[in-house]
């Protein structure tokens, strides 16, 4: 830490301060058209299991209306999602559009937000983690203040369920849902939307980092701590634990990148 | 949000699923470029009189066609935000006298019809602006702190409300910049443009609130300078909550 910084006020420092803001101003606009935004919204939700594989989406008319886009635009978005393996359309009676579990390689090739370039540098990934700590920490603190008794029990039960999940893929999806559920308990639509996007980004970063029974057990122990702090109404502790967990997820991602050839870890469950 | 009082409606993912199916942001590339530049100008990130990058460069950085950029600049010029000079030393400049009123073509007061929307907005600001302040308390350089103090000094003077608002939004964006996080900075710029929208809905500007708010700004800089992250976070939370309360207080009759 640097020492405290009082001081008189020579001009122009305020201008220098804007450097980051200016780089944001001049970054690409509209990398996303309406089709891409719809693809992203639905694709993220399917990727992290918020819409489950096999689940039927609302009809095209209803879905287009809820997303606030034209039906033709929605069809374009669904075509991209079908190509990437996120949905399939069945004809005839009982037909409609259904969510599928995409193959990561295929999804990554087709969907821009999963691209490697977006989070290619360690600085970009660190910024993602900074943002994730802010969102997860605040959501956990608010959830601790606002949760009903039933919600608190639901969160702890969700952690129990995650402990019993058999494989990495199921664990990852449940993991994302757990964090989104906390933002829901916090009663914050904005934090929910941010958490969904963050979980989808993390989901694709973690594709390169295989879980082990050990890493899953450690992650879920952290989830349990967060859920118990929320149940206890301990906002400060919930925030701290959520931030700590997010920081460890970041470290886990970085470890996976610096040692890409790492052998698969043993699958025995620790203590 | 979950319906109140229905014990069977308990599903921790209800809110999340509602968010999935909420409207996606719409608007073409022209409007998005107008919005990006208009917001930056309105917020004071781009200073009055400042020269914008050349059209070709700007189009390249925005990753849009030059013709799309030119249309956006035409809209901004007609709205009085940008002037264009021909010849050598020519180019597009941020207007030195900015018009009052919304730069954003999609400015939508309808979004602020309920206290619930204000609460959700405030929660998100407490989360992200609070985190930015905490991080700034760890990472701010000496010159960052001096820059923040300059802005506080500017806001404490007798200045017209639009100038106050610009310095105010720069102050909050500058904290996120000092935290070194592009994502938090982008979030803060978005928040500040929404605060601007809210401000325009107020029946009159509130001098006494400006003074109280700027005292809070000063305390926030002091906490950042003293390297006290948790204090900085708490002070931002208080500041954001008091802004919310002023909005609710002054518009109570309109909110439902």
């Amino acid at each position: 830490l640097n020492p405290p910084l009082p001081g008189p006020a020579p001009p122009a420092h305020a201008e220098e301060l804007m450097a980051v803001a200016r780089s944001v101003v001049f970054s690409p606009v509209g990398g996303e058209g309406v089709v891409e935004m719809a693809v992203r919204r639905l694709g993220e939700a399917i990727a992290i299991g918020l819409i489950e594989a096999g689940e039927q989406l609302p009809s095209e008319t209803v879905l287009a209306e809820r997303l606030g886009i034209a039906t033709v635009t929605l069809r374009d978005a669904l075509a991209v999602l079908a190509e990437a393996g996120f949905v399939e359309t069945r004809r005839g009676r009982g037909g409609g559009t259904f969510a599928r579990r995409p193959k990561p390689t295929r999804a990554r090739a087709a969907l821009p937000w999963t691209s490697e370039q977006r989070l290619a540098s360690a600085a970009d990934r660190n910024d993602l983690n900074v943002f994730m700590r802010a969102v997860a920490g605040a959501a956990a603190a608010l959830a601790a203040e606002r949760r009903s008794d039933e919600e608190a029990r639901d969160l702890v039960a969700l952690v129990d369920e995650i402990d019993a999940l058999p494989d990495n893929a199921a664990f990852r999806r449940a993991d994302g849902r757990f964090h989104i559920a906390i933002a829901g308990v916090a009663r914050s639509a904005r934090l929910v939307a941010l958490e969904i996007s963050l979980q989808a980004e993390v989901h694709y970063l973690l594709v390169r980092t295989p879980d082990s029974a050990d890493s899953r057990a450690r992650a879920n122990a952290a989830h349990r701590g967060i859920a118990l702090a929320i149940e206890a109404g301990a906002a400060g502790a919930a925030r701290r634990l959520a931030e700590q967990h997010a920081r460890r997820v970041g470290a886990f991602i970085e470890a996976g990148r610096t040692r890409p050839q790492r052998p698969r870890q043993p699958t025995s469950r620790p203590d | 949000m979950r319906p109140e009082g229905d014990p069977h409606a308990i599903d921790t993912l209800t809110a999340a699923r509602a968010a999935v199916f909420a409207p996606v942001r719409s608007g073409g590339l022209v409007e998005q470029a107008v919005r990006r530049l208009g917001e930056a100008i309105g917020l004071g990130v781009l200073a009055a009189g400042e020269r914008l990058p050349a059209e070709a460069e700007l189009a390249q950085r925005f990753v849009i066609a030059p013709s799309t950029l030119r249309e956006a600049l035409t809209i901004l010029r007609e709205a009085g935000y940008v002037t264009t000079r021909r010849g050598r030393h020519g180019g597009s400049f941020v207007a030195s006298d900015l018009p009052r009123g919304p730069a954003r073509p999609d400015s939508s007061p309808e979004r602020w019809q309920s206290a619930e929307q204000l609460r959700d907005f405030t929660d998100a600001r407490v989360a992200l602006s609070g985190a930015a302040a905490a991080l700034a308390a760890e990472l701010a350089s000496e010159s960052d702190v001096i820059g923040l103090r300059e802005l506080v000094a500017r806001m404490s003077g007798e200045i017209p409300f639009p100038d106050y608002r610009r310095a105010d939004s720069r102050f909050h964006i500058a904290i996120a910049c000092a935290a070194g996080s592009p994502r938090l900075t982008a979030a803060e710029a978005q928040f500040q443009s929404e605060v601007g929208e809210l401000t325009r809905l107020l029946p009159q500007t509130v001098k006494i609130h400006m003074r109280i708010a700027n005292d809070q700004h000063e305390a926030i800089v002091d906490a950042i300078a003293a390297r006290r992250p948790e204090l900085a976070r708490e002070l931002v939370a208080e500041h954001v909550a008091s802004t919310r309360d002023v909005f609710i207080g002054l518009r109570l009759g309109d909110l439902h």
Side-chain angles (χ1 to χ4, degrees):
Chain A
L1 286 190
N2 299 329
L5 300 163
H13 287 87
E15 307 301 320
E16 284 170 28
L17 262 178
M18 290 288 128
V20 180
R22 299 172 63 90
S23 69
V24 172
V25 170
F26 294 121
S27 63
V29 292
E32 294 198 328
V34 180
V35 173
E36 287 79 8
M37 282 188 275
V39 167
R40 177 177 175 136
R41 180 79 69 74
L42 295 171
E44 281 178 353
I46 294 168
I48 61 179
L50 200 52
I51 298 175
E52 306 238 40
E55 189 176 333
Q56 181 167 13
L57 299 184
S59 74
E60 285 188 358
T61 323
V62 171
L63 192 51
E65 194 179 284
R66 289 179 70 175
L67 294 174
I69 60 180
T71 316
V72 287
T73 311
L74 175 68
R75 285 203 196 109
D76 286 347
L78 290 175
V80 174
L81 286 166
E83 180 60 30
F86 282 82
V87 299
E88 64 182 344
T89 303
R90 293 180 213 148
R91 306 266 159 221
R93 257 183 72 119
T97 305
F98 296 83
R100 302 178 56 192
R101 191 157 301 152
K103 283 199 170 53
T105 42
R106 197 164 156 206
R108 286 164 77 90
L111 299 173
W113 82 90
T114 66
S115 79
E116 279 288 295
Q117 298 96 301
R118 258 196 98 218
L119 291 162
S121 77
D124 290 341
R125 294 192 298 275
N126 181 57
D127 193 35
L128 170 71
N129 197 256
V130 162
F131 202 75
M132 200 169 136
R133 294 203 297 269
V135 172
L142 284 175
E145 286 168 8
R146 296 176 180 171
R147 97 281 182 288
S148 70
D149 291 345
E150 193 148 10
E151 286 166 342
R153 282 196 296 276
D154 280 353
L155 283 176
V156 176
L158 193 51
V159 175
D160 290 336
E161 282 170 31
I162 294 174
D163 261 338
L165 289 176
D167 61 79
N168 285 345
F171 174 81
R172 282 279 155 83
R173 282 192 302 279
D175 186 345
R177 292 173 63 128
F178 174 75
H179 292 289
I180 293 161
I182 290 175
V185 171
R187 309 275 194 282
S188 169
R190 288 183 189 236
L191 291 179
V192 166
L194 290 172
E195 191 65 78
I196 290 174
S197 293
L198 284 169
Q199 289 301 326
E201 284 187 89
V202 167
H203 181 87
Y204 284 99
L205 278 173
L206 282 171
V207 165
R208 274 171 52 164
T209 313
D211 266 309
S212 62
D214 184 34
S215 70
R216 278 156 46 188
R218 267 184 284 132
N220 209 37
H223 295 159
R224 189 174 298 282
I226 297 165
L228 291 174
I230 290 171
E231 187 180 37
R239 176 201 300 282
R240 226 171 16 256
L241 291 169
E243 286 177 350
Q244 208 174 65
H245 174 56
R247 200 183 284 275
R248 289 209 191 106
V249 170
F252 188 63
I253 289 170
E254 292 309 309
R257 298 184 79 89
T258 51
R259 285 175 283 132
Q261 307 308 323
R262 187 171 61 151
R264 297 292 292 242
Q265 305 225 341
T267 47
S268 65
R269 206 161 258 271
D271 12 290
Chain B
M1 294 292 96
R2 166 177 315 191
E4 298 271 344
D6 178 1
H8 301 295
I10 297 301
D11 169 359
T12 42
L13 292 171
T14 305
R17 298 180 59 93
V20 171
F21 295 119
V24 298
R25 185 165 55 92
S26 60
L29 291 176
V30 173
E31 289 81 1
Q32 289 181 49
V34 168
R35 176 175 173 165
R36 178 76 68 76
L37 289 169
E39 279 180 359
I41 294 168
L43 298 173
V45 171
L46 296 175
E50 176 173 349
R51 177 202 290 270
L52 296 177
E55 282 185 10
E57 190 199 334
L58 197 50
Q60 200 177 36
R61 289 173 78 168
F62 280 173
V63 196
I64 57 179
S67 58
T68 308
L69 176 70
R70 273 194 292 278
E71 279 183 58
L73 288 175
T74 303
I75 292 175
L76 287 164
R77 196 159 43 237
E78 282 170 6
Y81 282 86
V82 164
T83 58
T84 303
R85 287 176 227 151
R86 304 267 156 224
R88 270 187 67 179
H89 310 300
S92 289
F93 298 80
V94 177
S96 15
D97 276 328
L98 291 177
R100 308 183 64 157
R104 292 172 48 165
D106 62 343
S107 185
S108 49
E110 308 79 48
R111 292 200 303 121
W112 304 107
Q113 291 302 303
S114 75
E116 169 65 21
Q117 287 162 322
L118 265 177
R119 186 193 58 66
D120 192 31
F121 178 56
T122 305
D123 285 347
R125 279 190 78 193
V126 167
L128 300 179
S129 311
L135 207 54
E138 289 174 16
L139 300 175
S141 69
E142 186 161 352
S143 111
D144 290 340
V145 171
I146 294 170
L148 288 170
R149 289 204 193 283
E150 270 172 42
L151 289 165
V152 171
R154 196 181 305 170
M155 282 184 276
S156 69
E158 285 286 320
I159 53 172
F161 185 71
D163 294 345
Y164 174 89
R165 249 314 288 159
R166 259 194 288 281
D168 184 22
S169 65
R170 288 184 69 130
F171 175 83
H172 289 287
I173 294 167
I175 290 176
C177 289
S181 166
R183 284 183 194 241
L184 290 176
T185 304
E188 189 62 57
Q190 172 64 32
F191 289 152
Q192 289 304 318
S193 113
E194 292 184 66
V195 169
E197 223 172 69
L198 279 166
T199 307
R200 287 190 286 278
L201 298 175
L202 291 180
Q204 72 279 331
T205 58
V206 192
K207 278 230 170 76
I208 185 143
H209 176 62
M210 283 158 63
R211 193 176 52 68
I212 295 171
N214 203 37
D215 286 347
Q216 292 172 336
H217 291 153
E218 190 167 11
I220 292 166
V221 188
D222 286 343
I224 289 172
R227 305 282 176 211
R228 298 184 60 187
E230 283 317 307
L231 181 62
R233 185 204 298 277
E234 279 164 32
L235 291 170
V236 165
E238 274 173 31
H239 177 59
V240 167
S242 75
T243 304
R244 172 201 60 200
D245 293 340
V246 167
F247 283 125
I248 292 182
L250 293 181
R251 294 198 66 233
L252 198 56
D254 304 339
L255 295 171
H256 42 82

